[in-house]
Amino acid sequence: RLQDCGISAAVIFDVAPGQTFVEQIQIPEIVGASATNTITINGNNSLITFSSSTIYSNNYTIALNGADYVTINNLQISNLSTAGYCIAVVLFNGADHNVLDGCLATSSTLNLFASNCMVINITPNVPGITGAAPCDSNTIQNCEVVNGDVGIYIDGSVAGGSTPPLAQYNRI
């Protein structure tokens, strides 16, 4: 487990092409992650899907909880919950220098509660989960963002010299 041992070099995970995973993943801060020692997940257009519960703190398919220097490439990420809360990807609690590149992120359109289905959410904190720190220098690029009440939601400020997220070349 990366969170127990940390890393001392760049780590690359290659997902087998064409796979479907029904999972919920939370990536915490990994000791040793840096601009040189990055963590890359090459999705190879495989699909990870999850239908979240009605609990706000458990409403994501992939969560970067304080994780830094994680790149997710070419992964289909879906949360099609009809229970009211459905986020495909959430970055929170000081998740910095992360990249979503070439991903297809999908959320439900059958939400009963307005703006609780944010396909991609960058926020300092998630209610019910410990930790609240601004997220800095994250990039969402070349992605397709489908459905949801909100495509990409960014919560925070650029006070104190932080670098705001960059969203470029996306199709929403």
Side-chain angles (χ1 to χ4, degrees), residues 26 56 63-68 87 89-96 98 118 120-138 153-159 162-165:
Q26 187 174 141
Y56 188 76
L64 301 183
N65 179 358
D68 300 327
I87 294 175
V89 181
V90 62
L91 290 77
F92 69 102
N93 194 23
D96 301 327
N98 299 295
M118 297 162 271
I120 299 172
N121 182 11
I122 300 175
T123 185
N125 67 330
V126 173
I129 298 179
T130 303
C135 299
D136 194 22
S137 303
N138 293 294
Y153 181 83
I154 299 169
D155 179 11
S157 70
V158 292
S162 64
T163 304

Side-chain angles (χ1 to χ4, degrees), residues 29-66:
E29 183 175 6
I30 305 296
V31 173
S34 68
T36 303
N37 298 337
T38 60
I39 301 164
T40 302
I41 300 168
N42 291 321
N44 293 308
N45 292 315
S46 286
L47 169 66
I48 180 169
T49 185
F50 182 74
S51 290
S52 63
S53 69
T54 58
I55 301 169
Y56 188 76
S57 62
N58 193 29
N59 65 347
Y60 57 84
T61 302
I62 295 178
L64 301 183
N65 179 358

Side-chain angles (χ1 to χ4, degrees), residues 69-80:
Y69 298 100
V70 174
T71 297
I72 301 174
N73 294 316
N74 302 310
L75 184 63
Q76 298 178 49
I77 307 160
S78 174
N79 188 326
L80 300 178

